[in-house]
Amino acid sequence: MMPRKPEYDRDALIGRARDLFWRHGWAGTSLKDLERELHLKPGSFYAAFGSKDALFALAMERYTQEGVARLTEFADKFGPKAALKAQTTFVIEAPELPSKACMLAKTYAELQAREHVLAQKAAKHMTEMKACFTNLFRRAQEAGEIGQDHDPERLAARYQSDLLGLRLSAERTDVDAGLIAADIAADLDRL
Amino acid sequence: MMPRKPEYDRDALIGRARDLFWRHGWAGTSLKDLERELHLKPGSFYAAFGSKDALFALAMERYTQEGVARLTEFADKFGPKAALKAQTTFVIEAPELPSKACMLAKTYAELQAREHVLAQKAAKHMTEMKACFTNLFRRAQEAGEIGQDHDPERLAARYQSDLLGLRLSAERTDVDAGLIAADIAADLDRL
DNA sequence: TATATATTTGAGTGATCGTTCAAAAATTGG
DNA sequence: CCAATTTTTGAACGATCACTCAAATATATA
C-alpha cells in the first residue's frame, strides 16, 4: 500500500538550480533550461517546487546560507579581520563558482524596478550578509585588529559595496580583479 | 511628389528608450512597454530602429557619451581630482536618473553569461569609461593632486569598481550611500 | 486638386513563456 | 500477483514574446 519514492535528490536539485539562476539570472533561465539541467519533466518540477519563483527563492536562501557559513568558517580559522581579507580573494578566485558576481546583487538589479517579490527577498538576504560583515568588523575591533574610531555598520556597508564592485569587475576581461582585491584588503589594514 | 515626414523626434525617443532600458533592463523591457512609452506602433518602431536590440545599442551609446561628457565637464570646471570626487556624489544624488545603478553594468551582468552581443557592447563602453577615469587620474597626478607612486590604470580600475558598488548600494533602502560616497571620496584624498 | 511617396496603423506571424493535468509507469504492502 | 499510492510523462493551455506586412492615412509637390 505504500507509494514509490521520487528518483531525484531535492537538495542536489536546488544546488544545481541555484547555479543556473546565478549564472543566467531570473529572466535568463527558462523552465526548459531547468528541465534540461535537473532532468525533470514539467509535472515533476511543479510537484517538487511549486513554481519557478519558489525554486528561485530556495536557491537564494541556499546561496545566502552557504555564504554566511563560509564567512563564519573563515572567521573561526583566521580571525575576523583575516576572514574579511580572505573573502576578497575567495570570491574572485574560487573556480567552482558559476559566476564571480553576487547572485543577490544580480537578482536585485534585475528585478528591483518591477518591485518583484524576489527582489525584496534578495534585498533581505543582502541585509543579512551586511549584518554578518558588521559582526566581523565589531569582533575585529574588540580584538584590537582595527581602530576604535570606526562605526562597524558603516565599515560593513562600505566593505559590502566594495565586494559588489569587485565581484562585478571580476566578470570583466579587461580588468585585473586581483589588483582590486589586494587594494581592498590593504584598505582593511589601514583601519 | 515629396513624402511626409515622421511625427516623432528620433533623438528624443532614444533618450526615453534609454531610460526605460536603464530602469528595467533588457529582458524587463518588452516591445509593448516601448510602444507605450514612445507612442509608436510596431510598424513605426521597426521602421525607425530596426529591432529592439538595435535601439538598446543606441541607448547604451547615448548613455556612455553623456557620461563621458559630464565627466569632462566636471574636469574642466573643478579639475581632474575634484571631478572624480564630484562623480561619487552625483551618481547617487541626481534625481533625474532613472536608476542609481550603472546601465552598462546592469546590462553586462544580465547578458554576459549568454554571450549576448549587447553584453559585449556594454563591456566595450565600460572599457571606454575606464579609459576616461585613467585619463583623469593621470592628469591629477601631473597636477600634483595625487602622489606619483601610483599606476593611473590601477587607480582607475579600483575607482570604477568602487563606483559600481556604490551605485548598486544606492538602489538599496537599508544602506546610506552618502556615507559610502564620502568614504570613496576621502580615499581619493589619501592618494 | 491629383499624384507620388512616405508614415501610421493594427491585426496577425510563429516561437517561447510558465504552467496544468490526465494518462502511463513504477514501487511498496498485502 | 494484486491493489493502493505515488511519480513520471508529455501533450496542451493561454499569455506574451519580438516582429511582419498590407492596407489606410497623411503630406508635399506639380
Side-chain angles (χ1 to χ4, degrees), chain A residues 118-148:
Chain A
L118 290 172
Q120 300 178 39
K121 295 192 178 179
K124 220 190 63 188
H125 290 310
M126 288 175 78
T127 305
E128 200 178 331
M129 292 299 306
K130 180 158 66 84
C132 194
F133 295 142
T134 304
N135 184 39
L136 287 181
F137 274 110
R138 185 171 290 119
R139 282 172 56 189
Q141 220 167 24
E142 288 165 358
E145 293 178 347
I146 65 173
Q148 303 298 317

PDB file of all heavy atoms in Angstrom, chain A residues 118-148:
ATOM      1  N   LEU A 118      10.908  38.640  -5.584  1.00  0.00           N
ATOM      2  CA  LEU A 118      12.246  38.069  -5.470  1.00  0.00           C
ATOM      3  C   LEU A 118      13.299  39.145  -5.249  1.00  0.00           C
ATOM      4  O   LEU A 118      14.335  38.880  -4.636  1.00  0.00           O
ATOM      5  CB  LEU A 118      12.564  37.251  -6.729  1.00  0.00           C
ATOM      6  CG  LEU A 118      11.772  35.950  -6.860  1.00  0.00           C
ATOM      7  CD1 LEU A 118      12.004  35.304  -8.220  1.00  0.00           C
ATOM      8  CD2 LEU A 118      12.127  34.988  -5.737  1.00  0.00           C
ATOM      9  N   ALA A 119      13.042  40.351  -5.737  1.00  0.00           N
ATOM     10  CA  ALA A 119      13.969  41.454  -5.481  1.00  0.00           C
ATOM     11  C   ALA A 119      13.950  41.805  -3.995  1.00  0.00           C
ATOM     12  O   ALA A 119      15.001  42.051  -3.387  1.00  0.00           O
ATOM     13  CB  ALA A 119      13.600  42.664  -6.328  1.00  0.00           C
ATOM     14  N   GLN A 120      12.786  41.806  -3.415  1.00  0.00           N
ATOM     15  CA  GLN A 120      12.684  42.081  -1.981  1.00  0.00           C
ATOM     16  C   GLN A 120      13.402  41.002  -1.177  1.00  0.00           C
ATOM     17  O   GLN A 120      14.097  41.301  -0.197  1.00  0.00           O
ATOM     18  CB  GLN A 120      11.205  42.149  -1.560  1.00  0.00           C
ATOM     19  CG  GLN A 120      10.416  43.237  -2.294  1.00  0.00           C
ATOM     20  CD  GLN A 120       8.938  43.240  -1.887  1.00  0.00           C
ATOM     21  OE1 GLN A 120       8.598  43.038  -0.731  1.00  0.00           O
ATOM     22  NE2 GLN A 120       8.061  43.469  -2.861  1.00  0.00           N
ATOM     23  N   LYS A 121      13.246  39.763  -1.596  1.00  0.00           N
ATOM     24  CA  LYS A 121      13.917  38.678  -0.884  1.00  0.00           C
ATOM     25  C   LYS A 121      15.434  38.800  -1.033  1.00  0.00           C
ATOM     26  O   LYS A 121      16.186  38.563  -0.079  1.00  0.00           O
ATOM     27  CB  LYS A 121      13.430  37.315  -1.406  1.00  0.00           C
ATOM     28  CG  LYS A 121      11.965  37.067  -1.111  1.00  0.00           C
ATOM     29  CD  LYS A 121      11.542  35.625  -1.360  1.00  0.00           C
ATOM     30  CE  LYS A 121      10.059  35.452  -0.991  1.00  0.00           C
ATOM     31  NZ  LYS A 121       9.544  34.099  -1.220  1.00  0.00           N
ATOM     32  N   ALA A 122      15.877  39.167  -2.227  1.00  0.00           N
ATOM     33  CA  ALA A 122      17.310  39.375  -2.445  1.00  0.00           C
ATOM     34  C   ALA A 122      17.822  40.472  -1.513  1.00  0.00           C
ATOM     35  O   ALA A 122      18.884  40.341  -0.893  1.00  0.00           O
ATOM     36  CB  ALA A 122      17.581  39.735  -3.904  1.00  0.00           C
ATOM     37  N   ALA A 123      17.039  41.548  -1.404  1.00  0.00           N
ATOM     38  CA  ALA A 123      17.431  42.661  -0.533  1.00  0.00           C
ATOM     39  C   ALA A 123      17.545  42.195   0.914  1.00  0.00           C
ATOM     40  O   ALA A 123      18.483  42.563   1.624  1.00  0.00           O
ATOM     41  CB  ALA A 123      16.415  43.789  -0.658  1.00  0.00           C
ATOM     42  N   LYS A 124      16.597  41.388   1.316  1.00  0.00           N
ATOM     43  CA  LYS A 124      16.608  40.870   2.687  1.00  0.00           C
ATOM     44  C   LYS A 124      17.883  40.054   2.943  1.00  0.00           C
ATOM     45  O   LYS A 124      18.531  40.194   3.986  1.00  0.00           O
ATOM     46  CB  LYS A 124      15.374  39.989   2.915  1.00  0.00           C
ATOM     47  CG  LYS A 124      14.714  40.137   4.272  1.00  0.00           C
ATOM     48  CD  LYS A 124      13.656  39.058   4.475  1.00  0.00           C
ATOM     49  CE  LYS A 124      14.234  37.655   4.477  1.00  0.00           C
ATOM     50  NZ  LYS A 124      13.246  36.575   4.496  1.00  0.00           N
ATOM     51  N   HIS A 125      18.244  39.245   1.969  1.00  0.00           N
ATOM     52  CA  HIS A 125      19.445  38.420   2.119  1.00  0.00           C
ATOM     53  C   HIS A 125      20.705  39.287   2.136  1.00  0.00           C
ATOM     54  O   HIS A 125      21.672  38.970   2.840  1.00  0.00           O
ATOM     55  CB  HIS A 125      19.519  37.389   1.004  1.00  0.00           C
ATOM     56  CG  HIS A 125      18.489  36.305   1.115  1.00  0.00           C
ATOM     57  ND1 HIS A 125      18.279  35.590   2.273  1.00  0.00           N
ATOM     58  CD2 HIS A 125      17.597  35.817   0.227  1.00  0.00           C
ATOM     59  CE1 HIS A 125      17.304  34.700   2.083  1.00  0.00           C
ATOM     60  NE2 HIS A 125      16.872  34.832   0.837  1.00  0.00           N
ATOM     61  N   MET A 126      20.699  40.356   1.348  1.00  0.00           N
ATOM     62  CA  MET A 126      21.860  41.246   1.349  1.00  0.00           C
ATOM     63  C   MET A 126      21.985  41.940   2.708  1.00  0.00           C
ATOM     64  O   MET A 126      23.097  42.151   3.211  1.00  0.00           O
ATOM     65  CB  MET A 126      21.735  42.275   0.219  1.00  0.00           C
ATOM     66  CG  MET A 126      21.943  41.676  -1.164  1.00  0.00           C
ATOM     67  SD  MET A 126      21.643  42.847  -2.510  1.00  0.00           S
ATOM     68  CE  MET A 126      23.145  43.790  -2.476  1.00  0.00           C
ATOM     69  N   THR A 127      20.866  42.305   3.278  1.00  0.00           N
ATOM     70  CA  THR A 127      20.876  42.884   4.623  1.00  0.00           C
ATOM     71  C   THR A 127      21.469  41.889   5.618  1.00  0.00           C
ATOM     72  O   THR A 127      22.257  42.249   6.499  1.00  0.00           O
ATOM     73  CB  THR A 127      19.447  43.257   5.049  1.00  0.00           C
ATOM     74  OG1 THR A 127      18.874  44.127   4.072  1.00  0.00           O
ATOM     75  CG2 THR A 127      19.448  43.942   6.407  1.00  0.00           C
ATOM     76  N   GLU A 128      21.081  40.648   5.437  1.00  0.00           N
ATOM     77  CA  GLU A 128      21.584  39.564   6.288  1.00  0.00           C
ATOM     78  C   GLU A 128      23.102  39.462   6.182  1.00  0.00           C
ATOM     79  O   GLU A 128      23.809  39.357   7.199  1.00  0.00           O
ATOM     80  CB  GLU A 128      20.914  38.267   5.808  1.00  0.00           C
ATOM     81  CG  GLU A 128      20.886  37.115   6.784  1.00  0.00           C
ATOM     82  CD  GLU A 128      20.140  35.921   6.161  1.00  0.00           C
ATOM     83  OE1 GLU A 128      19.240  36.155   5.315  1.00  0.00           O
ATOM     84  OE2 GLU A 128      20.478  34.778   6.504  1.00  0.00           O
ATOM     85  N   MET A 129      23.602  39.508   4.955  1.00  0.00           N
ATOM     86  CA  MET A 129      25.052  39.443   4.747  1.00  0.00           C
ATOM     87  C   MET A 129      25.743  40.656   5.362  1.00  0.00           C
ATOM     88  O   MET A 129      26.816  40.533   5.956  1.00  0.00           O
ATOM     89  CB  MET A 129      25.366  39.382   3.248  1.00  0.00           C
ATOM     90  CG  MET A 129      24.954  38.104   2.524  1.00  0.00           C
ATOM     91  SD  MET A 129      25.753  36.603   3.152  1.00  0.00           S
ATOM     92  CE  MET A 129      27.473  37.054   3.038  1.00  0.00           C
ATOM     93  N   LYS A 130      25.128  41.793   5.208  1.00  0.00           N
ATOM     94  CA  LYS A 130      25.713  43.021   5.767  1.00  0.00           C
ATOM     95  C   LYS A 130      25.834  42.903   7.286  1.00  0.00           C
ATOM     96  O   LYS A 130      26.852  43.305   7.880  1.00  0.00           O
ATOM     97  CB  LYS A 130      24.846  44.236   5.382  1.00  0.00           C
ATOM     98  CG  LYS A 130      25.375  45.572   5.908  1.00  0.00           C
ATOM     99  CD  LYS A 130      24.867  46.768   5.120  1.00  0.00           C
ATOM    100  CE  LYS A 130      23.372  46.959   5.253  1.00  0.00           C
ATOM    101  NZ  LYS A 130      22.968  47.706   6.447  1.00  0.00           N
ATOM    102  N   ALA A 131      24.813  42.345   7.908  1.00  0.00           N
ATOM    103  CA  ALA A 131      24.850  42.147   9.370  1.00  0.00           C
ATOM    104  C   ALA A 131      26.001  41.226   9.741  1.00  0.00           C
ATOM    105  O   ALA A 131      26.662  41.405  10.777  1.00  0.00           O
ATOM    106  CB  ALA A 131      23.521  41.578   9.843  1.00  0.00           C
ATOM    107  N   CYS A 132      26.240  40.256   8.874  1.00  0.00           N
ATOM    108  CA  CYS A 132      27.344  39.326   9.090  1.00  0.00           C
ATOM    109  C   CYS A 132      28.681  40.066   9.040  1.00  0.00           C
ATOM    110  O   CYS A 132      29.563  39.840   9.880  1.00  0.00           O
ATOM    111  CB  CYS A 132      27.276  38.234   8.030  1.00  0.00           C
ATOM    112  SG  CYS A 132      28.277  36.795   8.348  1.00  0.00           S
ATOM    113  N   PHE A 133      28.822  40.955   8.074  1.00  0.00           N
ATOM    114  CA  PHE A 133      30.041  41.765   7.971  1.00  0.00           C
ATOM    115  C   PHE A 133      30.186  42.675   9.190  1.00  0.00           C
ATOM    116  O   PHE A 133      31.279  42.819   9.746  1.00  0.00           O
ATOM    117  CB  PHE A 133      30.010  42.616   6.693  1.00  0.00           C
ATOM    118  CG  PHE A 133      30.031  41.820   5.415  1.00  0.00           C
ATOM    119  CD1 PHE A 133      29.274  42.218   4.322  1.00  0.00           C
ATOM    120  CD2 PHE A 133      30.815  40.678   5.303  1.00  0.00           C
ATOM    121  CE1 PHE A 133      29.291  41.484   3.133  1.00  0.00           C
ATOM    122  CE2 PHE A 133      30.841  39.944   4.123  1.00  0.00           C
ATOM    123  CZ  PHE A 133      30.071  40.349   3.042  1.00  0.00           C
ATOM    124  N   THR A 134      29.088  43.303   9.568  1.00  0.00           N
ATOM    125  CA  THR A 134      29.108  44.196  10.735  1.00  0.00           C
ATOM    126  C   THR A 134      29.631  43.454  11.957  1.00  0.00           C
ATOM    127  O   THR A 134      30.475  43.966  12.713  1.00  0.00           O
ATOM    128  CB  THR A 134      27.688  44.723  11.028  1.00  0.00           C
ATOM    129  OG1 THR A 134      27.177  45.364   9.857  1.00  0.00           O
ATOM    130  CG2 THR A 134      27.706  45.704  12.188  1.00  0.00           C
ATOM    131  N   ASN A 135      29.134  42.267  12.115  1.00  0.00           N
ATOM    132  CA  ASN A 135      29.546  41.442  13.246  1.00  0.00           C
ATOM    133  C   ASN A 135      31.053  41.183  13.227  1.00  0.00           C
ATOM    134  O   ASN A 135      31.732  41.295  14.253  1.00  0.00           O
ATOM    135  CB  ASN A 135      28.779  40.120  13.200  1.00  0.00           C
ATOM    136  CG  ASN A 135      29.074  39.250  14.409  1.00  0.00           C
ATOM    137  OD1 ASN A 135      29.196  39.768  15.518  1.00  0.00           O
ATOM    138  ND2 ASN A 135      29.181  37.958  14.192  1.00  0.00           N
ATOM    139  N   LEU A 136      31.581  40.893  12.051  1.00  0.00           N
ATOM    140  CA  LEU A 136      33.019  40.622  11.932  1.00  0.00           C
ATOM    141  C   LEU A 136      33.836  41.886  12.215  1.00  0.00           C
ATOM    142  O   LEU A 136      34.886  41.818  12.866  1.00  0.00           O
ATOM    143  CB  LEU A 136      33.339  40.080  10.532  1.00  0.00           C
ATOM    144  CG  LEU A 136      32.885  38.646  10.269  1.00  0.00           C
ATOM    145  CD1 LEU A 136      33.281  38.206   8.868  1.00  0.00           C
ATOM    146  CD2 LEU A 136      33.472  37.705  11.313  1.00  0.00           C
ATOM    147  N   PHE A 137      33.372  43.025  11.708  1.00  0.00           N
ATOM    148  CA  PHE A 137      34.094  44.275  11.980  1.00  0.00           C
ATOM    149  C   PHE A 137      34.083  44.582  13.483  1.00  0.00           C
ATOM    150  O   PHE A 137      35.077  45.041  14.037  1.00  0.00           O
ATOM    151  CB  PHE A 137      33.473  45.437  11.191  1.00  0.00           C
ATOM    152  CG  PHE A 137      34.007  45.566   9.788  1.00  0.00           C
ATOM    153  CD1 PHE A 137      33.213  45.270   8.689  1.00  0.00           C
ATOM    154  CD2 PHE A 137      35.321  45.974   9.576  1.00  0.00           C
ATOM    155  CE1 PHE A 137      33.710  45.384   7.391  1.00  0.00           C
ATOM    156  CE2 PHE A 137      35.834  46.098   8.283  1.00  0.00           C
ATOM    157  CZ  PHE A 137      35.017  45.800   7.190  1.00  0.00           C
ATOM    158  N   ARG A 138      32.945  44.322  14.099  1.00  0.00           N
ATOM    159  CA  ARG A 138      32.858  44.587  15.542  1.00  0.00           C
ATOM    160  C   ARG A 138      33.824  43.691  16.309  1.00  0.00           C
ATOM    161  O   ARG A 138      34.558  44.136  17.196  1.00  0.00           O
ATOM    162  CB  ARG A 138      31.416  44.378  16.027  1.00  0.00           C
ATOM    163  CG  ARG A 138      31.221  44.755  17.480  1.00  0.00           C
ATOM    164  CD  ARG A 138      29.756  44.745  17.885  1.00  0.00           C
ATOM    165  NE  ARG A 138      29.010  45.822  17.268  1.00  0.00           N
ATOM    166  CZ  ARG A 138      27.968  45.661  16.438  1.00  0.00           C
ATOM    167  NH1 ARG A 138      27.581  44.428  16.135  1.00  0.00           N
ATOM    168  NH2 ARG A 138      27.341  46.686  15.937  1.00  0.00           N
ATOM    169  N   ARG A 139      33.869  42.438  15.925  1.00  0.00           N
ATOM    170  CA  ARG A 139      34.775  41.495  16.590  1.00  0.00           C
ATOM    171  C   ARG A 139      36.230  41.876  16.332  1.00  0.00           C
ATOM    172  O   ARG A 139      37.095  41.745  17.209  1.00  0.00           O
ATOM    173  CB  ARG A 139      34.499  40.082  16.096  1.00  0.00           C
ATOM    174  CG  ARG A 139      33.267  39.464  16.724  1.00  0.00           C
ATOM    175  CD  ARG A 139      32.900  38.141  16.078  1.00  0.00           C
ATOM    176  NE  ARG A 139      33.988  37.155  16.092  1.00  0.00           N
ATOM    177  CZ  ARG A 139      33.952  35.995  15.436  1.00  0.00           C
ATOM    178  NH1 ARG A 139      32.872  35.699  14.702  1.00  0.00           N
ATOM    179  NH2 ARG A 139      34.957  35.159  15.499  1.00  0.00           N
ATOM    180  N   ALA A 140      36.499  42.347  15.104  1.00  0.00           N
ATOM    181  CA  ALA A 140      37.864  42.783  14.783  1.00  0.00           C
ATOM    182  C   ALA A 140      38.258  43.969  15.660  1.00  0.00           C
ATOM    183  O   ALA A 140      39.413  44.088  16.093  1.00  0.00           O
ATOM    184  CB  ALA A 140      37.966  43.156  13.310  1.00  0.00           C
ATOM    185  N   GLN A 141      37.290  44.830  15.900  1.00  0.00           N
ATOM    186  CA  GLN A 141      37.540  45.988  16.748  1.00  0.00           C
ATOM    187  C   GLN A 141      37.826  45.555  18.191  1.00  0.00           C
ATOM    188  O   GLN A 141      38.768  46.030  18.826  1.00  0.00           O
ATOM    189  CB  GLN A 141      36.319  46.913  16.705  1.00  0.00           C
ATOM    190  CG  GLN A 141      36.648  48.383  16.654  1.00  0.00           C
ATOM    191  CD  GLN A 141      35.420  49.216  16.300  1.00  0.00           C
ATOM    192  OE1 GLN A 141      34.289  48.792  16.525  1.00  0.00           O
ATOM    193  NE2 GLN A 141      35.653  50.393  15.753  1.00  0.00           N
ATOM    194  N   GLU A 142      37.004  44.631  18.670  1.00  0.00           N
ATOM    195  CA  GLU A 142      37.176  44.137  20.035  1.00  0.00           C
ATOM    196  C   GLU A 142      38.512  43.417  20.179  1.00  0.00           C
ATOM    197  O   GLU A 142      39.141  43.461  21.244  1.00  0.00           O
ATOM    198  CB  GLU A 142      36.023  43.193  20.392  1.00  0.00           C
ATOM    199  CG  GLU A 142      34.697  43.924  20.605  1.00  0.00           C
ATOM    200  CD  GLU A 142      33.501  42.974  20.593  1.00  0.00           C
ATOM    201  OE1 GLU A 142      33.717  41.754  20.375  1.00  0.00           O
ATOM    202  OE2 GLU A 142      32.362  43.447  20.777  1.00  0.00           O
ATOM    203  N   ALA A 143      38.943  42.768  19.124  1.00  0.00           N
ATOM    204  CA  ALA A 143      40.224  42.066  19.159  1.00  0.00           C
ATOM    205  C   ALA A 143      41.400  43.018  18.961  1.00  0.00           C
ATOM    206  O   ALA A 143      42.551  42.598  18.967  1.00  0.00           O
ATOM    207  CB  ALA A 143      40.242  40.972  18.081  1.00  0.00           C
ATOM    208  N   GLY A 144      41.096  44.293  18.728  1.00  0.00           N
ATOM    209  CA  GLY A 144      42.157  45.274  18.533  1.00  0.00           C
ATOM    210  C   GLY A 144      42.795  45.208  17.159  1.00  0.00           C
ATOM    211  O   GLY A 144      43.863  45.793  16.930  1.00  0.00           O
ATOM    212  N   GLU A 145      42.146  44.500  16.228  1.00  0.00           N
ATOM    213  CA  GLU A 145      42.719  44.369  14.885  1.00  0.00           C
ATOM    214  C   GLU A 145      42.505  45.623  14.041  1.00  0.00           C
ATOM    215  O   GLU A 145      43.214  45.842  13.055  1.00  0.00           O
ATOM    216  CB  GLU A 145      42.111  43.147  14.173  1.00  0.00           C
ATOM    217  CG  GLU A 145      42.503  41.824  14.824  1.00  0.00           C
ATOM    218  CD  GLU A 145      41.856  40.634  14.129  1.00  0.00           C
ATOM    219  OE1 GLU A 145      40.941  40.831  13.324  1.00  0.00           O
ATOM    220  OE2 GLU A 145      42.272  39.501  14.412  1.00  0.00           O
ATOM    221  N   ILE A 146      41.485  46.395  14.390  1.00  0.00           N
ATOM    222  CA  ILE A 146      41.271  47.684  13.723  1.00  0.00           C
ATOM    223  C   ILE A 146      40.945  48.735  14.786  1.00  0.00           C
ATOM    224  O   ILE A 146      40.576  48.390  15.909  1.00  0.00           O
ATOM    225  CB  ILE A 146      40.114  47.610  12.689  1.00  0.00           C
ATOM    226  CG1 ILE A 146      38.792  47.327  13.395  1.00  0.00           C
ATOM    227  CG2 ILE A 146      40.382  46.550  11.639  1.00  0.00           C
ATOM    228  CD1 ILE A 146      37.597  47.398  12.468  1.00  0.00           C
ATOM    229  N   GLY A 147      41.102  50.006  14.398  1.00  0.00           N
ATOM    230  CA  GLY A 147      40.948  51.094  15.359  1.00  0.00           C
ATOM    231  C   GLY A 147      39.549  51.201  15.954  1.00  0.00           C
ATOM    232  O   GLY A 147      38.578  50.713  15.372  1.00  0.00           O
ATOM    233  N   GLN A 148      39.463  51.862  17.092  1.00  0.00           N
ATOM    234  CA  GLN A 148      38.184  52.004  17.794  1.00  0.00           C
ATOM    235  C   GLN A 148      37.320  53.112  17.195  1.00  0.00           C
ATOM    236  O   GLN A 148      36.120  53.149  17.422  1.00  0.00           O
ATOM    237  CB  GLN A 148      38.434  52.322  19.286  1.00  0.00           C
ATOM    238  CG  GLN A 148      39.279  51.285  20.009  1.00  0.00           C
ATOM    239  CD  GLN A 148      38.614  49.907  20.032  1.00  0.00           C
ATOM    240  OE1 GLN A 148      37.407  49.804  20.272  1.00  0.00           O
ATOM    241  NE2 GLN A 148      39.395  48.862  19.768  1.00  0.00           N
TER     242      GLN A 148
END
